[in-house]
């Protein structure tokens, strides 16, 4: 049995008595029929109705959320067809079984129903429904529900057809590497001569050859390598090819997408990618020329211009990166991959701004940096989620110098922080209204100074300190010394291990900001309890803060949202299934949010994070309901870690 009897505090009987199918009955009629119904509780993840099983009644949902899913191969549930929540009915789709008592229940063999969270309801068998069906108001109610459901189905289908048509007309940006790579790949053994390799390349007009040792990749040689390392140097062509190969070249997996290969080649400054399978064997070759023949030159041009930045054209880069965003949004590239590519571009822009700042100080006679340092970004840039330029959020950390040099070192990095901020301003980043930038003394300091700052936040734990800590702990290294970075991480870990006061305080703040439940399904606009949602403030911020606190409590101090979720799974803080669900839910919310922001930007509307439900497609509304519930997994786990 998949269901249980719910606790009395759910008050199932009192709630269903007011439901439209019971509210017109006399007390005696209600009591008589209720005795033939059954109060049920389905735990999270359990099946409410299996595919392949004939339906025997309907379920009035008193509390919780269920998914109606299509049954795929071997009756595994796949696509979610519908979300049913509190106050609604499960089983409308199989009403024909009730009306046509002897008909084959085809619907039941096509769908299954699963509890998203704990579902409490009243099971109403068809025998009870048959009595209720005699009343006109009951039939009218069901007619209204079925018509509403039918309308939603048609709207959703129309939206999906429109999306499919748009996708079919777009260029093949979502094609896999294995679909466009060159096969078979040209290979030579590492002991074979340069001359033999050159002959093989010439015979088939190949621009590169993969060097292997017992079928395992060890190197790569291109035509340019032969010119630069053999012909121009007079090296003997009898030498083994391993003497001139590029060892351990960059590679790509055959299942990766076109845009991942394109951005990877351009950003890494290479023109050839050996393609590997799951066994790390070379199965093909892909080149920049191959990719540019598949896609227009616009994306390559945009990315290439980021590589040519100077202080005079910094202001042009914003437009170029937005071009890349526009291409990827138009071609419906998955949000995780859009963020990955765009983060790489913004990181290049940011690093160039730091380099220009150092160069500028040197030209002003300030010299080179007097100590090793690291420049970090915070906020959306720190989480790798910045797809449009926002406010600046960054800080500087540098080595402690000798006592007689400390003042000079502090003075230099104070100036460097201001220079970096100015160059980012030229590139299109607005100044942070709260002053959380490396140009401010509070956001620049030596390792020992930062240790004191972190202790101060822990001890005081004021609202202002918590606000700064929330932003700070989304940090990500973008430029600078790896050794200083490691020392900084150790310093943070020591502070966290010494005192959990700050984490408890942060958790207490987040207890007051739960991710909202949308109440009634948004798909029926007549039943909406609210008309809009501030995705940034009500959803993304609470989710990020909960993930941040949970990660820090497990000494996970850095990483993007997806990386932190993976680390929590590895440490068994959340299950692998929960990690997948939360990652998917976050991607879905970000997809809706990015589309909303991008549409506003394209139409030059105000840049608000508030989404009006009336402007969402039906499938987006359904998706949002589910996604918010899954994001709450992280909040719930954080609450249980820091009970308040």
């Amino acid at each position: 049995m998949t269901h249980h009897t719910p606790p009395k505090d759910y008050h199932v009987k009192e709630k269903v008595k007011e439901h439209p199918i019971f509210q017109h009955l006399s007390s005696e009629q209600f009591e008589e029929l209720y005795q033939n119904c059954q109060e049920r509780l389905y735990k999270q993840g359990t099946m409410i109705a299996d595919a392949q099983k004939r339906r025997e009644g309907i379920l009035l949902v008193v509390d919780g959320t269920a998914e109606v899913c299509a049954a795929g191969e071997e009756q595994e549930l796949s696509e979610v067809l519908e979300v049913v929540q509190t106050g609604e009915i499960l089983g409308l789709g199989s009403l024909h079984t009730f009306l046509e008592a002897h008909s084959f229940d085809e619907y039941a063999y096509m769908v299954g129903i699963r509890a998203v969270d704990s579902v409490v309801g009243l099971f109403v068998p068809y025998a009870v429904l048959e009595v209720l069906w005699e009343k006109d108001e009951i039939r009218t109610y069901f007619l209204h529900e079925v018509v509403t459901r039918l309308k939603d189905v048609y709207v959703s289908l129309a939206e999906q057809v429109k999306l499919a048509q748009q996708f079919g007309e777009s260029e093949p940006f979502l094609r896999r590497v294995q679909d466009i790579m060159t096969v078979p790949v040209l290979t030579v053994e590492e002991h074979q001569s340069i001359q033999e390799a050159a002959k093989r390349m010439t015979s088939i007009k190949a621009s590169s050859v993969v060097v292997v040792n017992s079928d395992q990749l060890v190197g790569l040689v291109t035509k340019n390598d032969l010119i630069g390392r053999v012909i121009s140097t007079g090296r003997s062509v009898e030498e083994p090819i391993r003497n001139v190969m590029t060892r351990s070249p960059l590679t790509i997996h055959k299942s990766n997408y076109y845009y991942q290969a394109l951005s990877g080649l351009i950003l890494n400054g290479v023109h050839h990618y050996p393609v590997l399978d799951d066994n790390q064997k070379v199965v093909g070759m892909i080149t920049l020329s191959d990719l540019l023949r598949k896609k227009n030159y616009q994306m390559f041009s945009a990315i290439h211009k980021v590589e040519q930045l100077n202080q005079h054209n910094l202001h042009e880069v914003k437009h170029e990166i937005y071009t890349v965003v526009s291409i990827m949004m138009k071609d419906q590239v998955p949000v995780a991959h859009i963020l990955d590519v765009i983060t790489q571009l913004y990181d290049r822009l940011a690093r160039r701004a730091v380099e220009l700042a150092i160069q500028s100080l040197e030209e002003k006679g300030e010299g080179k940096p007097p100590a090793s340092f690291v420049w970090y970004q915070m906020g959306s840039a720190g989480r790798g989620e910045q797809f449009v330029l926002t406010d600046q959020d960054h800080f500087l950390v540098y080595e402690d110098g000798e006592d007689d040099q400390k003042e000079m070192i502090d003075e230099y990095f104070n100036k460097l922080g201001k220079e970096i901020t100015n160059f980012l301003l030229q590139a299109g980043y607005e100044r942070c209204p709260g002053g959380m930038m490396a140009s401010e003394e509070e956001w620049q300091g030596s390792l020992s100074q930062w240790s004191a700052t972190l202790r101060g936040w822990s001890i005081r734990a004021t609202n202002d300190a918590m606000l700064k800590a929330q932003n700070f702990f989304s940090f990500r290294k973008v430029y600078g010394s790896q050794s200083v970075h490691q020392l900084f991480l150790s310093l943070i870990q020591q502070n966290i291990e010494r005192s959990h006061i700050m984490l408890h305080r942060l958790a207490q703040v987040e207890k007051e900001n739960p991710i909202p439940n949308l109440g009634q399904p948004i798909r029926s606009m007549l039943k909406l309890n609210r008309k809009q949602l501030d995705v940034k403030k009500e959803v993304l911020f609470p989710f990020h803060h909960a993930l941040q606190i949970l990660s820090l409590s497990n000494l996970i101090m850095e990483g993007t949202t997806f990386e932190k979720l993976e680390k929590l799974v590895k440490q068994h803080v959340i299950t692998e299934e929960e990690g997948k669900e939360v990652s998917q839910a976050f991607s879905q919310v970000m997809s809706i949010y990015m589309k909303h922001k991008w549409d506003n930007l394209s139409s030059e509307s105000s840049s608000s994070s508030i989404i009006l439900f009336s402007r969402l497609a039906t499938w987006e509304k359904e998706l949002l309901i589910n996604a918010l519930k899954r994001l709450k997994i992280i909040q719930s786990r954080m609450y249980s870690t820091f009970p308040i």
Side-chain angles (χ1 to χ4, degrees), residues 556-567:
I556 300 170
M557 292 164 288
E558 60 177 340
T560 65
T561 300
F562 295 109
E563 289 168 346
K564 286 181 177 178
L565 288 170
E566 287 177 5
K567 291 175 182 177

Side-chain angles (χ1 to χ4, degrees), residues 446-462:
S446 65
L447 287 164
S448 59
Q449 289 169 337
W450 272 106
S451 181
T453 297
L454 291 172
R455 283 200 303 274
W457 288 348
S458 298
I459 294 170
R460 289 189 295 274
T462 62

Side-chain angles (χ1 to χ4, degrees), residues 376-530:
Y376 294 92
Q377 287 199 319
M378 304 181 289
S380 60
R383 293 188 296 269
E385 295 164 10
Q386 189 176 69
F387 64 100
V388 295
L389 290 184
T390 55
D391 298 338
Q392 298 186 41
D393 290 286
H394 47 83
F395 62 92
L396 275 169
V397 180
Y398 46 89
E399 287 181 310
D400 287 292
E402 299 295 330
D403 289 342
D404 59 344
Q405 294 182 316
K406 288 191 178 203
E407 186 175 343
M408 179 270 292
I409 293 174
D410 288 345
E411 185 177 346
Y412 175 88
F413 284 107
N414 180 269
K415 293 176 180 177
L416 180 61
K418 288 179 168 57
E419 287 289 308
I420 293 172
T421 301
N422 287 334
F423 277 112
L424 288 175
L425 187 62
Q426 291 179 43
Y429 287 90
E430 295 295 330
R431 293 180 184 275
C432 174
M436 298 184 191
M437 302 173 291
S439 55
E440 309 303 312
E441 290 188 10
E442 188 175 10
W443 295 95
Q444 55 182 243
S446 65
L447 287 164
S448 59
Q449 289 169 337
W450 272 106
S451 181
T453 297
L454 291 172
R455 283 200 303 274
W457 288 348
S458 298
I459 294 170
R460 289 189 295 274
T462 62
N463 289 338
D464 182 60
M466 292 303 95
L467 179 63
K468 292 172 181 175
Q470 284 176 336
N471 207 27
F472 170 83
F473 282 117
S474 62
F475 70 85
R476 184 169 59 87
K477 173 182 176 287
V478 177
Y479 183 97
S481 165
Q482 185 62 23
S483 61
V484 173
H485 175 57
Q486 291 302 321
L487 289 171
F488 188 53
L489 291 181
S490 297
L491 180 154
I492 295 172
Q493 181 174 334
Q494 291 166 11
N495 273 276
I496 291 173
E497 290 175 334
R498 272 201 301 261
S499 174
H500 274 228
I501 295 175
M502 181 168 61
L503 294 184
H504 277 279
R505 178 72 177 100
L506 286 170
Q508 185 179 30
V509 171
E510 290 312 307
K511 188 74 171 178
E512 301 169 4
N513 298 294
I515 295 172
N517 283 319
L518 293 179
Q520 298 292 338
I522 336 183
R523 60 181 171 74
S524 176
M525 299 307 296
L526 296 174
K527 300 178 182 177
L528 266 180
N529 291 332
R530 55 191 299 173

Side-chain angles (χ1 to χ4, degrees), residues 42 82 131 134 169 212 241 322 337 343 368 381 494 496 511 548 563-564 577 594 599 622:
Y42 296 88
E82 181 184 22
V131 176
E134 298 297 322
E169 294 170 356
V212 297
I241 192 68
Y322 281 12
H337 298 303
T343 295
K368 296 182 181 297
Q494 291 166 11
I496 291 173
K511 188 74 171 178
Q548 183 183 85
E563 289 168 346
K564 286 181 177 178
E577 183 63 29
M594 287 171 64
D599 288 346
E622 300 281 8

Side-chain angles (χ1 to χ4, degrees), residues 62-74:
V62 171
D63 188 73
T65 304
E67 293 174 334
V68 180
C69 306
E73 296 182 4
E74 298 181 0

Side-chain angles (χ1 to χ4, degrees), residues 108-174:
Y109 286 81
M110 296 175 63
V111 302
I113 304 173
R114 173 173 54 203
V116 176
D117 47 23
S118 292
V119 172
V120 174
L122 182 72
F123 176 72
V124 181
Y126 288 146
V128 173
L129 192 58
E130 189 173 352
V131 176
L132 293 169
W133 203 257
E134 298 297 322
K135 297 184 176 295
D136 291 340
E137 57 268 25
I138 302 299
R139 293 196 299 273
T140 301
Y141 167 76
F142 276 104
L143 176 62
H144 177 270
E145 290 296 301
V146 171
V147 170
T148 300
R149 193 76 55 91
L150 183 62
K151 180 205 72 173
D152 292 336
V153 168
Y154 273 114
V155 171
S156 183
L157 280 173
E159 289 166 349
Q160 295 300 323
V161 169
K162 183 179 178 181
L163 285 174
Q165 289 173 339
Q166 291 173 349
F167 182 79
E169 294 170 356
S170 68
E171 296 185 66
F173 214 38
L174 288 178

